[in-house]
Amino acid sequence: MPYLLISTQIRLEAGPTMVGDEHSDPHLMSILGATKRSTLGNNFCEYYVNDAPRLVLDKLESLGYRVVSMTGVGQTLVWCLHRE
């Protein structure tokens, strides 16, 4: 899985950080220390870590991921990463 999206709410820039959806690589999620959560009202799960986005980006860089783009969507910050 070469692409990865991570995100956080602007008011939560110190964490937690959303690092994957229910179809994400379980091995990568375990390396990041992510846990799968389901929010009340959603019919899908997401993986979260309690780390700030900067720490998650550092970990992903060490695993060969590079930031392709970053944007703000409403009150959410989103990073798109790719691994060769």
Side-chain angles (χ1 to χ4, degrees):
M1 181 177 287
Y3 285 96
L4 182 65
L5 289 175
I6 69 167
S7 66
T8 192
Q9 298 292 312
I10 289 173
R11 59 185 170 72
L12 300 173
E13 61 269 357
T17 303
M18 194 279 289
V19 294
D21 60 28
E22 59 193 352
H23 305 292
S24 295
D25 177 9
H27 179 67
L28 175 60
M29 296 299 111
S30 69
I31 290 171
L32 295 175
T35 55
K36 193 185 281 190
R37 298 183 195 169
S38 179
T39 304
L40 184 63
N42 289 350
N43 61 351
F44 57 89
C45 297
E46 297 169 311
Y47 281 96
Y48 285 88
V49 294
N50 287 327
D51 297 333
R54 181 186 60 77
L55 298 175
V56 175
L57 290 167
D58 287 347
K59 287 180 187 178
L60 290 168
E61 181 181 36
S62 72
L63 296 170
Y65 284 88
R66 300 291 178 256
V67 174
V68 176
S69 64
M70 187 273 179
T71 190
V73 182
Q75 294 294 308
T76 304
L77 301 172
V78 181
W79 293 263
C80 177
L81 295 95
H82 183 266
R83 184 184 67 201
E84 294 290 329

